[in-house]
Amino acid sequence: GQQLRALFYALPPGESSFRTVEEVPDYVDKSIPFFITFIGLEFAVSWIQKRKVPGRINDGISSLSLGILSRLPDVLFRSIDLISYIYVWNNYRLFELPWDSPWTWYLTLLGVDFAYYCFHRISHEVNILWAAHQVHHSSEDYNLFTALRQSVLQKYTSWMFNLPMALFIPPSVFAVHLQFNLLYQFWIHTEVITKLGPLEWILNTPSHHRVHHGRNPYCIDKNYGGTLIIWDRIFGTFEAEDAKVVYGLTHPVNSFDPIMLQLRPLAHIWNTFWATPGFCNKLSVIFKGPGWGPGKPRLGLPEEIPVITGKEVPFNPTVPAYLNCYALAHFAIIVDLYTELLASVSVLSQGTVLLRIGFIILSLASFGLLMENKSKAGILEIIRCLVFIGVYKLGYFRSQFSFLGYAYEV
């Protein structure tokens, strides 16, 4: 019950206040079963409402692959958000609000959400930050899988926006709200919930967030809120859902390869940087908006945003049905290995952890190429399976379910 309420930011201060950071539960990892349950529920409701499922296998695997990739650094290191926050708290705090006061709890809710609004908005308005954040917008579907589509690089810039709170808000309170703010944003990535009445004035809702994910001209750079929509209303970035939203990037990446989705925008900035004349213009390529060019305003020209006709066709290479089934089965194995790694990381050697992470990354890249029906995908997949058998036989991999051992080798 507690974990379910955490997903909706519905755990009151009395149940979610802790003296030390070490006592704060890992709400995100404990929510994985609920993510799966809600995804199943979304499929059922979508089928009842529209007689169709809310997504595609290739896009769903791509989103989940990006979600797993984004969490892999946390297996090796403590979150940079917390490390930097605790450092500022220990060395520079001005005063200390009581950790067990409801007022501290509600102030932190507002503080974390406002910091998220600022970071999120800048991520859309500064090209180098957008190169990381665009990963989350790269899906042309909009469903609960999309919520899990996260960038590996984004967390290495977002931490700065939380540091002012470290001058007076205890790290244990911050650590709770950092997770709640993230968890709340999971359930708003759906089309099966339409409008939520008066709540639309205060909370970020599925309707508001659909606009944020749209590539229609009226949707661009709108509705940055995390939990609350009040910041958008205050700062003039709010837009209500109107014409049917077409999802994805204004210039689609057209790939399911999680490595390519992370790196291609950085390669684009690199090439544009060297192709643009003048030192100041080169800096502008990095620090102005993704739509900027010499002679244009900071965020580019609105009239250059591609027109939406409503006939846009998502990137969807034709793949034989057996290949989809194959990718699904093997992806399930990787999810099993990943969750087993999370459960046992504290008792594994550094070498074993790195080996497992390397194999997971290799597998996710291979599935991406399979979903695109690339010619080299077969060779990479054969190599991947041989590596798996060798490493499994040597005992470096282990399933959470002992009865699957023989099945994996088959």
Side-chain angles (χ1 to χ4, degrees):
Q2 256 203 354
Q3 201 56 51
L4 179 61
R5 284 181 291 134
L7 264 179
F8 297 94
Y9 224 127
L11 274 183
E15 287 184 69
S16 53
S17 296
F18 304 92
R19 184 185 295 276
T20 65
V21 172
E22 287 69 32
E23 292 171 56
V24 176
D26 191 333
Y27 290 107
V28 175
D29 279 343
K30 287 181 178 174
S31 294
I32 290 173
F34 288 104
F35 293 162
I36 296 163
T37 305
F38 277 112
I39 287 167
L41 197 59
E42 183 187 34
F43 269 70
V45 173
S46 180
W47 185 256
I48 292 163
Q49 285 179 345
K50 306 174 187 173
R51 282 288 177 268
K52 66 170 194 164
V53 294
R56 298 164 292 152
I57 289 172
N58 46 24
D59 191 82
I61 286 179
S62 177
S63 289
L64 290 173
S65 297
L66 287 159
I68 289 171
L69 267 185
S70 74
R71 300 286 292 175
L72 285 177
D74 296 340
V75 173
L76 292 172
F77 326 103
R78 196 177 196 179
S79 155
I80 189 167
D81 285 295
L82 277 177
I83 292 171
S84 56
Y85 193 97
I86 290 167
Y87 177 81
V88 171
W89 168 262
N90 285 340
N91 293 283
Y92 301 106
R93 71 176 178 266
L94 303 175
F95 56 91
E96 189 170 327
L97 292 177
W99 66 267
D100 52 354
S101 165
W103 291 106
T104 306
W105 195 94
Y106 288 112
L107 179 67
T108 313
L109 185 160
L110 290 172
V112 167
D113 203 56
F114 180 62
Y116 178 81
Y117 172 86
C118 296
F119 161 70
H120 194 185
R121 182 168 178 176
I122 288 174
S123 293
H124 280 252
E125 296 185 359
V126 174
N127 203 11
I128 192 70
L129 301 185
W130 171 246
H133 182 62
Q134 61 79 39
V135 171
H136 181 61
H137 286 263
S138 58
S139 174
E140 293 177 272
D141 294 343
Y142 188 76
N143 51 42
L144 294 175
F145 285 126
T146 314
L148 305 175
R149 177 181 281 251
Q150 298 293 333
S151 163
V152 171
L153 302 171
Q154 184 172 296
K155 66 185 78 175
Y156 299 107
T157 51
S158 61
W159 59 273
M160 297 178 244
F161 292 81
N162 295 311
L163 296 186
M165 288 180 284
L167 299 174
F168 53 93
I169 289 172
S172 60
V173 186
F174 168 73
V176 167
H177 287 277
L178 189 66
Q179 294 187 73
F180 284 0
N181 194 276
L182 180 68
L183 286 172
Y184 179 90
Q185 293 178 59
F186 171 72
W187 72 272
I188 59 177
H189 289 82
T190 185
E191 289 189 293
V192 302
I193 297 170
T194 50
K195 297 269 187 174
L196 294 175
L199 294 176
E200 302 276 337
W201 282 96
I202 301 163
L203 296 176
N204 193 11
T205 64
S207 175
H208 297 330
H209 205 59
R210 285 194 287 272
V211 171
H212 180 71
H213 273 261
R215 63 187 206 218
N216 315 51
Y218 87 91
C219 298
I220 303 297
D221 294 344
K222 298 294 187 217
N223 300 2
Y224 294 114
T227 301
L228 304 170
I229 204 69
I230 56 172
W231 315 116
D232 290 284
R233 294 186 184 278
I234 292 168
F235 298 110
T237 50
F238 174 74
E239 191 69 48
E241 190 175 18
D242 185 13
K244 180 167 172 54
V245 178
V246 176
Y247 303 106
L249 301 167
T250 54
H251 300 90
V253 180
N254 291 343
S255 177
F256 296 121
D257 176 358
I259 312 298
M260 181 65 75
L261 285 163
Q262 304 276 356
L263 298 180
R264 191 181 286 174
L266 290 168
H268 176 69
I269 290 176
W270 176 262
N271 294 333
T272 310
F273 178 87
W274 290 112
T276 303
F279 181 70
C280 288
N281 283 341
K282 286 185 188 298
L283 287 181
S284 295
V285 167
I286 298 172
F287 296 111
K288 288 188 178 176
W292 179 84
K296 295 179 187 175
R298 182 174 67 90
L299 298 179
L301 296 164
E303 55 267 29
E304 289 185 355
I305 296 166
V307 176
I308 294 300
T309 63
K311 296 176 182 171
E312 286 72 19
V313 178
F315 175 63
N316 199 25
T318 306
V319 174
Y322 74 84
L323 206 53
N324 275 332
C325 295
Y326 175 90
L328 262 179
H330 280 258
F331 184 77
I333 293 171
I334 293 304
V335 171
D336 174 31
L337 292 179
Y338 168 69
T339 48
E340 205 280 326
L341 172 62
L342 291 181
S344 59
V345 65
S346 57
V347 297
L348 297 173
S349 70
Q350 190 87 16
T352 304
V353 170
L354 289 172
L355 183 67
R356 291 191 186 189
I357 287 174
F359 181 74
I360 288 170
I361 293 170
L362 171 67
S363 300
L364 299 178
S366 182
F367 301 153
L369 295 178
L370 283 174
M371 296 285 90
E372 293 176 35
N373 221 349
K374 287 278 175 72
S375 53
K376 294 174 184 170
I379 299 163
L380 183 62
E381 184 58 17
I382 289 167
I383 293 168
R384 189 189 77 84
C385 289
L386 291 172
V387 169
F388 176 81
I389 289 169
V391 177
Y392 196 84
K393 280 287 190 191
L394 291 170
Y396 288 107
F397 290 162
R398 201 169 62 242
S399 168
Q400 295 180 94
F401 312 102
S402 53
F403 62 89
L404 284 177
Y406 180 68
Y408 279 4
E409 291 179 45
V410 171

